[in-house]
Amino acid sequence: MGNRGILHDASNRIVKGWAHKSWVTCLLLYKGTKRPKPFSAGNYSELFFLDEATAFAAGHRPCSYCQRQRSNAFKAAWLSANVPPHEHAKFTLPQLDACLHPERTRRGGGKVTYEAALATLPTGSMFQHDINAYLVFAGRYMPWSFAGYGLAVSFPTSAVVTVLTPQSVVAAFSSGFVPYVHESAIR
């Protein structure tokens, strides 16, 4: 479940894309936490994703409260891929969020994407080709849907695609961090 802050008004209409730069994914269940119904007054606007790979493609990262170990593992991989080693010890999650923010959204709204050779994308990356989104998983390219991933399709090895996952996150995946994927990807 994603959290970007309170995005809805009293009528439960989405009125903004984010309330802060800490876009995180939280566990649905954590230490018996009881959540009110989604979009409750005064509570953050719950965003639901198929899986962690989809959440990363949307620009989210693991929450450091309910997913501390996962958050630490992601931060370590992200730092290894994107920040000089002498800066790692003092680099904070708000700094990571500040670096990630311009990679996920444009001023005034709209998703940031970039072009890359498909062969360079690591497991967990998501890309768009034509109007469809795909997951790179274990050397396969699986079409995404709200219900799960479809059967793998092939692309030419020379294909250049529109990458949906932020560039620094793709670099973290290349450094060894592997996002969790929906069970339909593992068949």
Side-chain angles (χ1 to χ4, degrees):
M1 176 176 61
N3 176 357
R4 297 180 189 177
I6 299 173
L7 313 179
H8 61 282
D9 65 13
S11 299
N12 284 346
R13 291 180 304 219
I14 299 287
V15 294
K16 56 185 166 182
W18 65 89
H20 49 68
K21 293 181 181 177
S22 295
W23 296 14
V24 297
T25 52
C26 299
L27 298 174
L28 291 172
L29 302 172
Y30 180 70
K31 293 187 177 183
T33 300
K34 300 279 188 212
R35 299 189 193 282
K37 67 181 178 102
F39 285 44
S40 296
N43 194 33
Y44 68 86
S45 304
E46 296 88 347
L47 306 171
F48 296 94
F49 297 106
L50 174 66
D51 57 13
E52 191 179 44
T54 306
F56 274 116
H60 290 246
R61 63 165 175 81
C63 173
S64 61
Y65 177 71
C66 66
Q67 298 194 80
R68 179 152 326 263
Q69 286 184 306
R70 193 80 178 140
S71 176
N72 289 341
F74 173 71
K75 181 182 176 188
W78 190 93
L79 289 173
S80 175
N82 297 290
V83 176
H86 68 277
E87 295 179 26
H88 288 195
K90 294 184 179 182
F91 207 91
T92 65
L93 284 173
Q95 287 175 291
L96 187 154
D97 291 330
C99 292
L100 190 55
H101 198 66
E103 293 183 17
R104 57 187 173 206
T105 188
R106 300 184 194 304
R107 187 179 217 37
K111 175 139 183 68
V112 173
T113 60
Y114 66 97
E115 303 296 307
L118 182 56
T120 66
L121 296 178
T123 286
S125 302
M126 295 194 76
F127 67 93
Q128 181 178 337
H129 183 72
D130 293 328
I131 60 168
N132 299 310
Y134 296 86
L135 169 72
V136 177
F137 185 74
R140 298 176 296 151
Y141 311 115
M142 308 178 80
W144 177 95
S145 77
F146 288 106
Y149 297 101
L151 297 176
V153 298
S154 46
F155 287 92
T157 55
S158 60
V160 173
V161 295
T162 301
V163 183
L164 301 172
T165 306
Q167 202 161 9
S168 66
V169 175
V170 169
F173 294 170
S174 292
S175 286
F177 186 90
V178 179
Y180 296 138
V181 296
H182 187 263
E183 62 189 16
S184 60
I186 306 166
R187 48 178 145 181

